[in-house]
Amino acid sequence: MIRVEVIIPLALDGLFSYAVPEALISEAPGFSVGCRVVVSFGGKRYYTGVVFSMDKEAEVTACKEIEQILDSAPIIPEATLKQWEWMAYYYACPLGSILRDALPSGLLPESKTMLSLVEGFEAEDALPHAELLILDTLAEKGAMTTEQLERLVGRRLTRPLLHLIELGAVHTEEALQPRYRPKLARYLRLAPEYQEDEGALSTLFDGLSRAPRQVELLMAFLEALRETGQDHSGALHRSVLLEAVPKSEAQLRALIEKGVLEQVLEPVSRLRAVEPSSRESSIADVEPLTHPVTLYYGHTAEDKERYILGQIAATLARGGQVLYLTSSVHSVPSAAGFMQRLAEIAGANYYPYHSLIGEAVRVETYLRLSKLDGPALVVGTRSAIYVPLPRLSLVIIDEEQEYLYKQQLVAPRYHARDVALWRAHQSGAQVLLTSLTPSAEVLFHALRGKYQLLRPESFPAKTSSQSQQILPTIELIDLKRLRQLREVEWGHTLTPYLLEEIRSTIARGKKVLLLQNRRGYAPYVTCDACQTRLLCPNCDVSLTYHRTRAALLCHYCGYTAALPEACPSCGAIEVTTKSGLRPALRQVGYGIERVEEELKEKLPAYEVLRIDSDTFSSQKKRMELLEQIESGSAEILLGTQLIRNQPIWEGIGLIAVVQLDAVLGVPDFRSEERAYQLLHQLRLRSRAPREDCPRYLIQTSSTEQAFIKALQVGDYDTFINEVLAEREATNFPPFTRLTHLWLRGKDERLLASAALVLSQYLKGLLPNERVTGPQIPDLARLEGYYQRQIVIRRPFQQSYREERAAFASALQQLRLSMPESKRLQIYFDVDPL
């Protein structure tokens, strides 16, 4: 019997051994490493795992047997398994977390508890109403999952279900729930006796002489088989035949009933081929890449996109496979969109892989690419870094500085750019990093020669129309001074000067783009009677008021509550001011909803389109919003930083930052770099001839700060070089690699003790100065868990392997010395953002 090591899709360390019964192997002769198997784990639960290694000579003792082999041949290439193994090691997380993140959920079915009635059960005592309702529902509907039962009943049923199971009234059983089903279509075939025997077919036609419509339909069927290059054993889609002979459903049913035709269900692909572009080609000829990693540092989005298209077209023409990663993907109807151009140049070799496509399509895309040997272009967000491409030639990370390439909330907390660099190195592919404002880390490596640096000046000169384009000049509006002069009303943030500029811009037939990088209506709500802020009960953070939802919302844990009339702390409803009575609870600060409300109040004649994560919260909303953008009906476009990557740049006459402080965000060593990148890219994307160049206004309360002066100069090279000098002096990335070690728990005393012990173990394994003691972060409690943080630093030129060994050893020592530490959540955030 063969023993296999299996990755289970759970956040558990290590692999798990199972035996493979000979009977299952005989049914799947191609069974090997990379196949999916169904295994029992943790009692009666069943999971779909992936075979990581196999030993055909090992003695199998005390091993569970696998329950089912799902693949007749491996669907996970060996190179992909090596990538998962490296990610688990580098990002210090379990392989199971990688598996669950890497594969579409449709490829990982797992069991659910099925509930059914026990026949002949009779209760000795009267049962509560909830339990009777459960029994009645199961009797009427039959076996179902707990989730289905709760959905039908309309309430949580944990306690009544447990009581019924204890009484023996309800039986539970684990059943595997498939998440992916192939799409089936109805096809028609000739019955077997007519496929090879021409005489039988002639006799059939003679017998149908009194049914001319059936003869016509059968002749059309045979003709369609011939036209598609099939013989009489072929199959034809039902709809094709009915289109060839309209209004022939009755005749088709008759032929099926007579046994002349057979109707069969066959799987069909959900993948749609894109037609190659019929437009005149505008793909630029570009020089081949000559270095393993190249940074294209551009000044205009148009030049950057032309260069990307040229490299992709050249790679596909050579038969290579390209992985193009973007921080966000837009499905815009316009045929001129960059994503549409990508699809057109790839044609049938185009494979989107992102959240805008359905789960079943992701499954089929993954399965097809795992076996594809020809050219391909995969376009996706960070999760596309997992897609198997056996002949990967080129990886493109567009706008590499975007923080969305880093997965931050759940394990694996990886950066797609860094995983792409490792993967390309292993497969011999080249990497093209592109940006208008490169990150400090990438530019540092380019300046020291590790990456090749390409600037647009090294390519053919711009056309005359391009050379005449200029950048808008940044003008400041002093919010602090205008508030002191009382030219801005209380509770408002749009200055009279900005409002007048909006009116005059729209009067010229141009559009207005406003940036307010803060969600909701008001960042926090405070009581003017007792000066208390309304806080999330689960997190140490203020609740944000969202007027569109009429609710207070925590942006960290998702907690929601209605806005109370009275202060929960002191009970005050109203306070007395110089202007009279007003509500005690005051909404403080300016979220994007509040700015939208002010625009509609001050400028009611104009249509305002808000673009933020709330209006992008579902695919339906996203598509509706993109259609509104495409229609061009809105005169004012108001958005958070999401607005930067939207197709909104035609006809912009005014760009205005409503509040600079909202862009700078929380103090962090990267905050100014990110803010500069965002605001500078808005400026670069609005480059235009002098007569059409938009105005660029920034409202701020601190007009003299150095950041603003650097932004006005617009020299990104000088700015980022100053950032690098400051980072070198203070030992921050890219000169030092950071790892944040997080401990979370409900018991604060246990948490503090374990954090102290763990930091001491790390200091004993690594140079003492590289490990900080446990710190209480600004967000000391999150989702009901107290938090502690340990920061580990490593000089960038030193290998990470010593550090990873220290992580594993320190955790093992902690578990041995403090067994109760198993009650804590402990995880690593390597290279945090």
Side-chain angles (χ1 to χ4, degrees):
M1 193 176 289
I2 296 174
R3 187 179 72 191
V4 293
E5 299 294 317
V6 177
I7 310 172
I8 306 293
L10 298 172
L12 299 172
D13 291 323
L15 302 166
F16 299 89
S17 299
Y18 288 86
V20 187
E22 294 294 338
L24 290 181
I25 294 177
S26 63
E27 296 174 3
F31 175 69
S32 184
V33 171
C35 287
R36 294 173 302 144
V37 292
V38 177
V39 296
S40 63
F41 189 84
K44 297 181 179 180
R45 290 300 304 270
Y46 294 93
Y47 293 93
T48 298
V50 171
V51 177
F52 186 79
S53 64
M54 178 184 295
D55 190 342
K56 297 182 179 180
E57 308 295 331
E59 292 186 11
V60 179
T61 57
C63 275
K64 286 184 179 181
E65 295 185 350
I66 67 171
E67 302 290 332
Q68 188 178 351
I69 296 174
L70 296 181
D71 304 311
S72 57
I75 67 166
I76 316 295
E78 184 179 348
T80 299
L81 291 174
K82 288 182 178 179
Q83 176 185 330
W84 295 0
E85 186 178 26
W86 176 81
M87 289 180 67
Y89 180 71
Y90 183 78
Y91 290 104
C93 66
L95 257 174
S97 298
I98 305 285
L99 169 60
R100 184 168 288 279
D101 195 57
L103 288 188
S105 60
L107 291 176
L108 294 174
E110 57 187 57
S111 68
K112 290 190 176 182
T113 303
M114 299 297 294
L115 307 171
S116 58
L117 282 179
V118 175
E119 293 184 11
F121 169 78
E122 293 184 5
E124 297 180 359
D125 301 313
L127 297 176
H129 172 73
E131 295 179 14
L132 289 173
L133 188 59
I134 291 172
L135 297 178
D136 290 343
T137 305
L138 290 175
E140 179 184 353
K141 303 290 185 181
M144 65 183 68
T145 65
T146 305
E147 292 83 359
Q148 291 169 330
L149 180 62
E150 290 180 340
R151 193 160 50 246
L152 286 172
V153 174
R155 55 170 288 188
R156 293 296 298 269
L157 299 170
T158 305
R159 289 187 178 181
L161 266 176
L162 290 174
H163 187 236
L164 287 174
I165 293 169
E166 185 181 343
L167 291 175
V170 173
H171 173 70
T172 63
E173 183 179 5
E174 290 293 313
L176 200 67
Q177 300 288 313
R179 296 176 177 176
Y180 165 75
R181 290 182 175 86
K183 182 180 179 181
L184 300 177
R186 290 184 291 178
Y187 281 81
L188 299 170
R189 295 181 186 276
L190 273 177
E193 59 265 32
Y194 302 117
Q195 292 180 8
E196 303 292 339
D197 192 340
E198 291 289 340
L201 195 58
S202 298
T203 304
L204 171 64
F205 275 108
D206 292 339
L208 293 174
S209 59
R210 294 186 178 182
R213 289 278 289 165
Q214 293 180 30
V215 172
E216 179 188 5
L217 188 64
L218 186 56
M219 288 292 292
F221 174 79
L222 296 174
E223 178 64 19
L225 287 181
R226 187 186 65 79
E227 289 178 353
T228 55
Q230 302 182 79
D231 58 22
H232 288 172
S233 63
L236 190 69
H237 198 287
R238 188 175 186 271
S239 64
V240 173
L241 181 60
L242 293 177
E243 286 177 11
V245 186
K247 299 180 180 179
S248 57
E249 290 87 351
Q251 289 74 29
L252 178 58
R253 284 196 299 271
L255 289 175
I256 293 173
E257 289 170 1
K258 290 176 180 179
V260 177
L261 294 177
E262 295 178 341
Q263 187 168 262
V264 294
L265 292 175
E266 292 190 0
V268 294
S269 175
R270 294 179 173 90
L271 305 184
R272 296 180 180 179
V274 178
E275 291 295 327
S277 176
S278 58
R279 297 180 295 173
E280 184 179 346
S281 175
S282 60
I283 306 300
D285 290 328
V286 294
E287 293 293 327
L289 298 174
T290 58
H291 197 278
V293 183
T294 300
L295 168 63
Y296 179 87
Y297 178 5
H299 289 303
T300 69
E302 294 78 13
D303 285 348
K304 174 175 69 75
E305 290 173 359
R306 277 194 290 270
Y307 186 76
I308 291 172
L309 289 170
Q311 291 294 349
I312 291 175
T315 304
L316 294 176
R318 295 192 298 268
Q321 296 175 342
V322 181
L323 175 59
Y324 171 85
L325 296 182
T326 177
S327 59
S328 59
V329 179
H330 315 291
S331 180
V332 184
S334 171
F338 179 62
M339 290 297 161
Q340 184 69 21
R341 293 291 291 125
L342 287 174
E344 288 175 352
I345 65 171
N349 303 317
Y350 176 73
Y351 297 93
Y353 195 86
H354 46 74
S355 59
L356 295 184
I357 62 174
E359 182 64 20
V361 176
R362 286 166 67 93
V363 169
E364 291 191 21
T365 301
Y366 192 98
L367 293 176
R368 179 178 292 187
L369 290 174
S370 66
K371 301 177 178 63
L372 188 66
D373 196 42
L377 169 61
V378 176
V379 173
T381 47
R382 65 171 179 250
S383 62
I385 195 62
Y386 294 115
V387 169
L389 287 167
R391 293 181 57 197
L392 181 63
S393 301
L394 175 63
V395 181
I396 300 174
I397 298 97
D398 195 11
E399 292 301 323
E400 59 77 24
Q401 82 287 346
E402 289 286 353
Y403 72 95
L404 292 173
Y405 286 121
K406 168 75 172 177
Q407 182 158 289
Q408 302 187 67
L409 298 180
V410 295
R413 293 172 174 83
Y414 69 97
H415 199 300
R417 180 190 63 210
D418 296 335
V419 177
L421 291 168
W422 184 90
R423 179 178 177 180
H425 175 72
Q426 295 297 308
S427 62
Q430 292 177 305
V431 177
L432 174 62
L433 307 170
T434 72
S435 180
L436 303 180
T437 52
S439 63
E441 287 84 353
V442 165
L443 199 53
F444 167 70
H445 290 307
L447 292 174
R448 72 187 186 96
K450 184 178 180 181
Y451 304 159
Q452 184 183 21
L453 178 62
L454 293 181
R455 303 296 295 267
E457 289 78 9
S458 62
F459 297 100
K462 300 179 176 64
T463 64
S464 58
S465 61
Q466 286 178 303
S467 61
Q468 292 171 0
Q469 293 183 340
I470 63 169
L471 293 176
T473 301
I474 293 178
E475 305 171 50
L476 302 181
I477 299 176
D478 192 338
L479 267 175
K480 182 177 180 181
R481 176 177 170 274
L482 291 175
R483 290 192 189 283
Q484 289 172 345
L485 295 174
R486 301 195 177 185
E487 292 189 19
V488 180
E489 298 176 43
W490 181 88
H492 291 73
T493 191
L494 299 176
T495 61
Y497 182 72
L498 176 56
L499 290 169
E500 183 56 38
E501 284 299 318
I502 292 173
R503 292 189 189 95
S504 62
T505 300
I506 297 173
R508 298 197 311 272
K510 298 289 187 177
K511 295 180 181 178
V512 174
L513 187 157
L514 300 180
L515 178 71
Q516 176 66 355
N517 203 34
R518 188 166 280 164
R519 288 174 59 198
Y521 184 86
Y524 61 93
V525 177
T526 188
C527 174
D528 282 339
C530 65
Q531 310 306 314
T532 300
R533 287 190 184 187
L534 299 192
L535 301 177
C536 173
N538 306 315
C539 312
D540 288 342
V541 67
S542 299
L543 291 169
T544 300
Y545 179 53
H546 286 248
R547 178 160 286 188
T548 53
R549 302 189 195 183
L552 295 165
L553 177 65
C554 176
H555 290 170
Y556 290 88
C557 71
Y559 170 83
T560 58
L563 179 66
E565 291 186 9
C567 172
S569 180
C570 69
I573 298 176
E574 295 179 320
V575 292
T576 303
T577 68
K578 293 179 180 179
S579 305
L581 289 176
R582 73 179 186 196
L585 292 178
R586 178 164 54 93
Q587 294 132 26
V588 181
Y590 304 92
I592 192 169
E593 290 179 8
R594 192 166 191 166
V595 177
E596 180 185 28
E597 179 184 78
E598 189 175 342
L599 283 167
K600 290 179 177 179
E601 175 189 331
K602 301 284 188 180
L603 306 168
Y606 305 133
E607 182 179 345
V608 180
L609 184 61
R610 177 162 58 90
I611 302 172
D612 61 6
S613 56
D614 292 327
T615 56
F616 260 46
S617 59
S618 68
Q619 184 166 345
K620 180 181 178 182
K621 286 185 177 181
R622 187 183 299 116
M623 292 305 298
E624 289 173 353
L625 190 64
L626 289 169
E627 287 174 4
Q628 284 181 275
I629 293 172
E630 188 73 6
S631 71
S633 60
E635 293 97 344
I636 302 174
L637 303 167
L638 170 66
T640 59
Q641 61 184 337
L642 285 177
I643 204 168
R644 167 180 39 176
N645 294 319
Q646 308 307 317
I648 46 88
W649 296 97
E650 287 292 326
I652 296 293
L654 172 66
I655 299 172
V657 178
V658 177
Q659 272 191 319
L660 181 61
D661 291 344
V663 178
L664 288 168
V666 179
D668 175 77
F669 75 91
R670 285 193 178 95
S671 61
E672 287 197 352
E673 178 189 354
R674 290 178 180 170
Y676 196 109
Q677 288 166 345
L678 170 61
L679 299 177
H680 190 59
Q681 285 215 10
L682 293 181
R683 194 179 187 193
L684 291 174
R685 290 174 187 270
S686 58
R687 182 195 299 265
R690 186 176 300 277
E691 61 274 13
D692 290 326
C693 192
R695 303 202 53 190
Y696 195 145
L697 307 179
I698 294 180
Q699 295 193 149
T700 177
S701 298
S702 306
T703 57
E704 296 302 318
Q705 59 179 301
F707 171 80
I708 294 178
K709 296 187 182 302
L711 189 65
Q712 285 181 300
V713 171
D715 186 348
Y716 187 72
D717 287 347
T718 299
F719 170 77
I720 207 69
N721 282 327
E722 290 174 355
V723 167
L724 286 171
E726 183 179 335
R727 302 262 185 94
E728 184 177 20
T730 53
N731 282 327
F732 274 101
F735 301 93
T736 298
R737 305 300 288 264
L738 297 179
T739 296
H740 289 173
L741 172 51
W742 290 92
L743 297 91
R744 304 177 72 207
K746 299 281 189 179
D747 186 335
E748 190 172 15
R749 299 181 77 180
L750 171 62
L751 178 69
S753 177
L756 182 61
V757 171
L758 185 55
S759 69
Q760 293 301 321
Y761 284 144
L762 285 169
K763 287 180 178 181
L765 294 165
L766 295 169
N768 187 67
E769 69 278 2
R770 286 168 48 184
V771 182
T772 69
Q775 305 167 357
I776 300 177
D778 293 334
L779 198 58
R781 193 166 57 97
L782 180 66
E783 298 175 330
Y785 289 86
Y786 296 101
Q787 300 194 121
R788 292 293 185 275
Q789 181 189 51
I790 299 170
V791 179
I792 302 104
R793 286 179 164 82
R794 172 175 58 85
F796 78 91
Q797 65 268 49
Q798 289 188 9
S799 171
Y800 58 84
R801 301 187 182 281
E802 175 195 10
E803 206 175 59
R804 299 304 178 272
F807 292 169
S809 178
L811 281 179
Q812 184 179 23
Q813 291 179 60
L814 177 69
R815 299 303 191 203
L816 291 173
S817 62
M818 293 184 66
E820 64 273 26
S821 65
K822 291 181 180 180
R823 289 158 43 198
L824 303 175
Q825 299 175 11
I826 302 176
Y827 65 87
F828 296 89
D829 187 1
V830 178
D831 302 327
L833 290 182

